């Protein structure tokens, strides 16, 4: 019993350690002045309002959504069908996708940034497209996980076979039967990918830099100029991540529930 | 049958093109560039990496920072997961969801949060000053110790996410059986629980280690290019306007990449081993 109490200490420490920085940053976004006192001198909405009146923040936000959303969309269009076909029709090649997933996961942005610059910087390709392409590949682990899990939980192969047996064409079976069944898991994977890309800084900063100012680059600039604006950016970022995480967990729960029922 | 397989292949083709263009080609170019100077083949860049005490120092700093942050995160989460098991499964899943939320909190935003807490006029810095604890109020976030705190932060949710399923696999029956045969809780963990989990713990460690070795954004936000880490070195050699040495950056990146692959293979191997045990 005494040992359990010891373990509890670690658990409480873990929660405090994970939440204190978040709470402090959020509080800072609403603090009038917080330089000399332990707690803020007063509370205000001034910083958040200033942030939303700053057109360069709105534009940066738009660019981040466009870049991350575009990459997720491309992944859904080109990677998901490939995963479907390999898992359902060529299962013996699935280990190659798994190998690709591990490799993609193993190489951090800073390594890929070197490769991108060496391969494409001198041949006139717009580097933002190169970053977009690497973004599509870098979310492969999340997209694969989402697709694979939902295919497994609805028994994809049998579902397709059954639909075709009942007279549906391959295309019909795919779009009318399989896709609706795996949609929640797929959507959860897409949102997770979006939230990972939304926080990406290394590639965009090293390869493109301030020519394409995303939210992360905007935040990096504000870090040295205005702490209050920076914390407002982090506040907005956290709220967005919170909403995404909530939707993802709802979707995952629903697709798990569907598999059990 | 053949035509149908060909039709199916059309769906895989775009994926293969994307992987080739945006993964394989860049990595190949990086490897080639690490072996080339203006005119041809050279091993000079690798020689420079291995003889430059500054670059070696960067590797040493990265390795110690990654290993220490991984070990601390592992120890904390090992006990925390143990304590978490007293809650019902829905509660545990909620805790995991919340911890997943914090796993998105990394890079620049995370660095900023630590500045709010421990920067020059940070919340805790002021608190320690007020209490007159000089040893703590003189703590610098922009040093090895500060980076360690930030690295531990982003290791914790990942560690929790990886350890939970391993721990979950330890079945109640085994504990009951061991207890029935007269083993104490401590004996159970020492002789059965920990040995079964060990490969999984090693695997988790190597994922955490790799995770920290490749991290760039938080260290960059806190120290710019001042603190000597491998990832920071690569970035500086790549983007320096006057001193850009992309070939040298490539050589360092190749060595870092090999380290990553070894760490990932180790974790794959040990996770497979754990699955067999459970």
């Amino acid at each position: 019993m005494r040992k359990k109490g010891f373990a509890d200490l670690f658990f409480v420490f873990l929660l405090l350690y994970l939440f204190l920085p978040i709470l402090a940053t959020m509080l800072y976004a609403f603090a009038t002045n917080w330089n000399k006192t332990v707690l803020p001198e007063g509370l205000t909405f001034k910083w958040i309002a200033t942030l939303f009146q700053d057109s360069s923040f709105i534009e940066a936000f738009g660019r981040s959504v466009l870049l991350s959303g575009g990459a997720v969309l491309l992944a859904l269009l080109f990677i998901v069908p490939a995963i479907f076909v390999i898992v359902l029709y060529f299962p013996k090649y699935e280990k190659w996708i798994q190998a690709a997933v591990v490799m993609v996961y193993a190489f951090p942005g800073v390594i890929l940034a070197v490769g991108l610059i060496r391969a494409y910087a001198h041949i006139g390709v717009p580097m933002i497209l190169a970053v977009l392409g690497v973004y599509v590949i870098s979310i492969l682990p999340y997209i694969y996980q989402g697709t694979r899990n939902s295919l497994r939980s609805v028994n994809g192969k049998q579902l397709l076979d059954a639909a075709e047996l009942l007279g549906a064409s391959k295309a019909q079976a795919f779009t009318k039967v399989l896709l609706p069944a795996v949609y929640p898991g797929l959507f959860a994977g897409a949102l997770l990918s979006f939230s990972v890309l939304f926080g990406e800084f290394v590639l965009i900063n090293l390869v493109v830099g301030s020519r394409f100012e995303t939210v992360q680059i905007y935040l990096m600039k504000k870090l040295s100029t205005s702490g209050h604006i920076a914390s407002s950016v982090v506040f907005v970022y956290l709220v967005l991540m919170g909403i995404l995480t909530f939707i993802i967990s709802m979707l995952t729960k629903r697709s798990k529930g569907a598999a059990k029922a | 049958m053949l035509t149908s397989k060909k039709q199916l292949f059309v769906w895989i083709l775009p994926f293969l093109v994307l992987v080739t263009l945006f993964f394989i080609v860049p990595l190949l170019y990086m490897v080639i560039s690490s072996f080339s100077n203006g005119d041809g083949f050279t091993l000079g860049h690798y020689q420079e990496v291995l003889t430059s005490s500054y670059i070696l120092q960067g590797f040493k700093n990265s390795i110690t920072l990654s290993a220490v942050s991984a070990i601390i995160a592992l120890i904390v989460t090992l006990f925390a997961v143990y304590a978490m098991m007293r809650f019902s499964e829905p509660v545990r899943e909620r805790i995991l969801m919340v911890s997943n939320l914090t796993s998105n909190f990394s890079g620049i935003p995370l660095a900023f949060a630590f500045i709010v807490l421990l920067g020059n006029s940070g919340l805790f810095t002021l608190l320690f000053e007020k209490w007159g604890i000089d040893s703590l109020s003189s703590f610098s976030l922009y040093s090895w110790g500060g980076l360690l705190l930030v690295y531990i932060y982003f290791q914790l949710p990942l560690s929790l996410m990886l350890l939970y399923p391993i721990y979950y696999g330890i079945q109640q029956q085994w504990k009951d059986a061991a207890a029935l045969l007269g083993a104490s809780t401590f004996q159970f963990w020492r002789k059965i629980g920990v040995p079964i989990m060990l490969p999984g713990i090693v695997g988790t460690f190597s994922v955490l280690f790799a995770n920290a070795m490749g991290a760039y954004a938080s260290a960059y936000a806190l120290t710019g290019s001042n603190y000597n880490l491998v990832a920071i070195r690569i970035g500086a050699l790549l983007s320096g306007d006057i001193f850009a040495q992309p070939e040298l950056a490539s050589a360092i990146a190749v060595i870092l990449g090999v380290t990553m692959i070894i760490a990932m293979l180790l974790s794959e191997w040990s996770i497979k081993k754990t699955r067999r045990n459970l």
Side-chain angles (χ1 to χ4, degrees):
Chain A
M1 200 58 221
R2 204 151 47 94
K3 256 174 55 202
K4 197 88 178 172
F6 182 64
D8 283 346
L9 272 182
F10 280 90
F11 181 67
V12 171
F13 169 80
L14 177 84
L15 288 185
L16 277 180
Y17 199 79
L18 290 180
F19 278 97
L20 219 55
I22 293 181
L23 293 178
T25 315
M26 288 188 145
L27 192 56
Y28 199 85
F30 295 99
T32 49
N33 214 341
W34 197 1
N35 294 322
K36 295 177 195 71
T37 46
V38 171
L39 283 174
E41 288 166 27
L43 296 177
T44 174
F45 281 102
K46 186 171 77 182
W47 312 113
I48 300 274
T50 315
L51 181 67
F52 277 101
Q53 279 154 13
D54 182 1
S55 61
S56 60
F57 172 71
I58 305 292
E59 282 164 21
F61 197 89
R63 283 188 207 103
S64 281
V65 171
L66 196 70
L67 188 61
S68 318
V72 172
L73 210 64
L74 287 173
L76 289 178
L77 281 176
F78 295 117
I79 293 187
V80 170
I83 296 174
F84 270 136
V85 168
I86 290 175
V87 170
L88 295 174
Y89 300 104
F90 304 98
K92 64 177 177 201
Y93 294 124
E94 204 184 330
K95 61 173 185 290
W96 287 103
I97 301 197
Q98 283 162 350
V101 165
V102 173
M103 292 299 280
V104 168
Y105 193 77
F107 287 111
V110 70
I111 291 184
L112 291 170
V114 177
L116 269 195
I117 289 178
R118 294 316 284 164
Y120 296 120
H122 308 292
I123 56 171
V125 180
M127 288 314 276
I128 187 67
L129 288 184
V131 171
L132 180 69
V134 174
Y135 274 14
V136 175
I137 296 301
S138 70
I139 54 177
L140 180 66
Y142 314 103
I143 296 285
Y144 171 72
Q145 205 64 29
T147 316
R148 185 75 192 90
N149 286 352
S150 36
L151 272 179
R152 196 173 288 166
S153 67
V154 299
N155 266 330
K157 184 73 184 149
Q158 281 99 313
L159 204 60
L160 271 188
D161 288 346
E164 284 180 47
L165 208 64
L166 293 168
S169 73
K170 251 196 175 63
Q172 278 175 326
F174 198 83
T175 54
K176 295 261 160 76
V177 178
L178 190 64
L179 224 46
V182 297
Y183 171 75
L186 212 58
F187 193 54
L191 288 182
L192 181 61
S193 306
F194 180 84
S195 59
V196 170
L197 290 180
F198 203 85
E200 208 283 330
F201 172 76
V202 190
L203 276 163
I204 192 73
N205 187 51
L206 284 178
V207 179
V208 182
S210 46
R211 277 167 290 156
F212 195 87
E213 190 178 283
T214 61
V215 171
Q216 297 292 321
I217 295 181
Y218 178 88
L219 174 61
M220 184 67 208
K221 276 187 181 160
K222 290 291 169 196
L223 225 52
S224 48
T225 53
S226 167
H228 290 289
I229 296 296
S231 58
S232 305
V233 176
V234 176
F235 177 78
V236 173
Y237 174 75
L238 279 168
V239 169
L240 181 69
M241 290 302 123
I243 295 171
L244 288 175
T245 311
F246 182 72
I247 301 174
I248 292 169
S249 79
M250 285 291 127
L251 285 168
T252 324
K253 210 176 275 169
R254 200 199 299 167
S255 63
K256 262 189 203 157
K260 270 179 202 152
Chain B
M1 191 59 201
L2 202 68
T3 50
S4 134
K5 285 227 159 166
K6 264 187 188 155
Q7 275 171 4
L8 287 174
F9 183 71
V10 172
W11 291 100
I12 306 179
L13 199 62
F15 172 63
L16 293 179
V17 172
L18 281 170
V19 170
T20 310
L21 276 181
F22 297 111
F23 194 67
I24 298 173
V25 168
L27 291 179
L28 274 181
Y29 266 84
M30 178 180 83
V31 173
I32 294 169
S33 122
S34 76
F35 285 109
S36 64
N37 52 17
D39 340 287
F41 178 84
T42 176
L43 285 173
H45 306 302
Y46 287 95
Q47 200 181 358
E48 188 173 347
V49 172
L50 295 175
T51 51
S52 151
S53 56
Y54 192 55
I55 297 174
L56 288 179
Q57 173 81 39
F59 269 102
K60 202 181 134 219
N61 286 344
S62 281
I63 290 170
T64 36
L65 187 59
S66 307
V68 173
S69 66
I71 289 171
I72 294 177
L74 259 182
I75 293 173
V76 171
T77 41
L78 267 176
F79 283 105
V81 173
Y82 181 69
M84 237 172 88
M85 283 299 159
R86 71 164 52 178
F87 300 118
S88 68
E89 198 166 333
V91 175
R92 273 181 271 153
E93 297 217 332
R94 202 151 299 162
I95 295 172
L96 284 180
M97 179 190 131
V98 166
S99 138
N100 278 347
L101 169 67
T102 63
S103 74
N104 264 320
F105 195 50
S106 62
I108 315 284
L110 178 62
F112 178 71
F114 272 83
I115 294 176
V116 171
L117 287 179
L118 289 161
N120 291 332
S121 56
L123 166 63
F124 280 107
T125 316
L126 294 174
L127 204 64
F128 295 142
E129 254 166 39
K130 209 173 178 182
W131 290 341
I133 318 175
D134 286 343
S135 55
L136 287 175
S137 63
S138 62
F139 172 82
S140 169
L141 180 62
Y142 313 97
S143 66
W144 191 83
L147 284 177
L148 182 65
L149 292 181
V150 177
Y151 275 52
I152 290 172
Y153 186 97
F154 68 68
Q155 301 279 37
L156 284 173
L158 184 62
S159 178
L160 191 65
M161 195 177 74
L162 293 170
L163 277 183
Y164 177 73
I166 298 170
Y167 199 97
Y168 195 75
I170 302 275
Q171 289 169 22
Q172 189 60 40
Q173 291 101 295
W174 302 349
K175 283 187 210 163
D176 295 343
L180 218 56
L181 293 169
S184 68
T185 317
F186 179 73
Q187 276 173 323
F188 170 77
W189 284 111
R190 205 172 77 91
K191 298 271 181 186
I192 303 167
V194 173
I196 288 175
M197 284 167 66
L198 197 60
I201 294 174
V202 173
T204 307
F205 173 80
S206 47
V207 174
L208 296 179
F209 180 79
N211 184 39
M213 283 297 284
Y216 172 90
S218 355
Y220 178 76
L222 281 182
T223 67
S225 296
N226 291 330
Y227 195 76
N228 192 6
L229 294 174
V230 178
I232 297 287
R233 220 43 315 113
I234 295 174
L237 284 171
L238 204 58
S239 63
D241 291 326
I242 310 161
F243 302 108
Q245 287 174 276
E247 280 104 2
L248 186 59
S250 301
I252 303 177
V254 169
I255 299 176
L256 180 62
V258 171
T259 320
M260 294 302 210
I261 294 175
I262 294 172
M264 290 315 285
L265 288 179
L266 185 66
S267 82
E268 283 288 295
W269 170 80
S270 49
I271 283 167
K272 261 188 202 129
K273 206 172 149 122
T274 324
R275 277 210 195 111
R276 223 179 16 239
N277 283 341
L278 293 176

